[in-house]
């Protein structure tokens, strides 16, 4: 199914793309909340401190990885675009 995002309302397309990201962030937050609750009740203060300190690092790594994937997708789409000057480099960028 193809959608042309150059026509129509911007807010509809923006919400369509932002919805899964927001849902993913909410699920990640719920996972962290449940993890903190279980570790705090069962394993004690030191384990809870370890879980709390790793959450920031995990969020940073996820954000960097998502950003790199989005950037790679943008470059790939630019190269695959019909009539692109870089059309011959598509196989190199996509890893084929």
């Amino acid at each position: 199914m193809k959608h042309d995002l150059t026509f129509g309302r911007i807010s509809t397309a923006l919400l369509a793309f932002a919805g899964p990201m927001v849902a993913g962030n909410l699920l990640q937050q719920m996972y962290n909340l449940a993890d903190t609750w279980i570790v705090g009740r069962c394993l004690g203060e030191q384990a809870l401190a370890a879980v709390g300190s790793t959450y920031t690092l995990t969020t940073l790594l996820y954000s960097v990885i998502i950003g790199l994937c989005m950037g790679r997708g943008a470059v790939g789409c630019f190269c695959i675009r019909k009539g692109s000057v870089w059309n011959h480099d598509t196989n190199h960028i996509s890893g084929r």
Side-chain angles (χ1 to χ4, degrees):
M1 178 154 77
K2 291 185 177 183
H3 294 283
D4 190 359
L5 299 176
T6 59
F7 297 103
R9 296 180 50 168
I10 294 174
S11 59
T12 306
L14 188 64
L15 288 175
F17 279 104
M21 268 184 13
V22 170
N25 286 338
L26 287 174
L27 288 173
Q28 182 67 31
Q29 193 68 16
M30 287 174 29
Y31 172 80
N32 185 49
L33 185 64
D35 195 24
T36 302
W37 183 68
I38 292 170
V39 169
R41 289 186 55 107
C42 299
L43 300 178
E45 293 177 6
Q46 289 183 341
L48 182 60
V51 169
S53 65
T54 59
Y55 175 70
T56 306
L57 178 63
T58 304
T59 303
L60 173 71
L61 289 175
Y62 284 152
S63 299
V64 168
I65 290 169
I66 289 171
L68 289 173
C69 290
M70 289 173 58
R72 189 256 179 241
V75 170
C77 289
F78 181 76
C79 291
I80 293 172
R81 183 181 65 175
K82 188 175 182 176
S84 174
V85 176
W86 291 354
N87 211 8
H88 64 280
D89 291 336
T90 304
N91 291 335
H92 170 69
I93 289 176
S94 64
R96 293 186 207 169

